[in-house]
Amino acid sequence: MPRSRLRQTLLIGFMLLAAPPSMAAMFTLRPGTSLYSRPGFRMTHRLDLRSEEIVVEGPAIEQREQFCLYRLLDRSGRPSVPEKAWVPCYAIDRLFESPR
């Protein structure tokens, strides 16, 4: 490997190691928001979860039209069951500060 290429590779590796870890944010959902197992408003895909008891971890994992797939957590920051759900993207309410 040429010396300049090696130096460049080492520099990129060092920058990746020195970079601060990225953090996800948690958000509450607007009261009364429905969560779904698939994107869309079909009642057959609606999950039996109360939006007031759930927070979502952003950014969204995936987006399809007006629905976003989020990782779900309870209000203490523990993973919820199911772990992921589709939520209307506009249903995000406020930044949630974890009690940890």
Side-chain angles (χ1 to χ4, degrees):
M1 179 182 291
R3 200 171 198 165
S4 63
R5 182 88 166 150
L6 177 62
R7 189 177 304 145
Q8 191 177 35
T9 303
L10 289 173
L11 179 62
I12 291 171
F14 177 73
M15 287 172 48
L16 290 173
L17 289 174
S22 61
M23 295 184 67
M26 292 190 300
F27 299 93
T28 61
L29 298 172
R30 292 182 184 184
T33 297
S34 296
L35 293 90
Y36 300 88
S37 60
R38 295 182 185 171
F41 291 104
R42 297 187 77 183
M43 290 300 290
T44 55
H45 301 165
R46 188 174 175 182
L47 299 172
D48 188 25
L49 295 171
R50 295 195 53 207
S51 61
E52 295 82 8
E53 298 170 358
I54 298 289
V55 293
V56 296
E57 185 178 70
I61 299 167
E62 185 180 340
Q63 182 175 353
R64 288 192 196 161
E65 296 180 11
Q66 62 181 326
F67 278 85
C68 292
L69 179 64
Y70 286 103
R71 182 169 173 255
L72 305 179
L73 305 162
D74 65 14
R75 294 271 175 154
S76 62
R78 291 186 303 257
S80 179
V81 174
E83 289 185 19
K84 300 174 191 171
W86 290 92
V87 179
C89 298
Y90 57 80
I92 298 300
D93 194 23
R94 296 197 169 120
L95 182 65
F96 179 77
E97 294 188 28
S98 175
R100 290 187 230 180

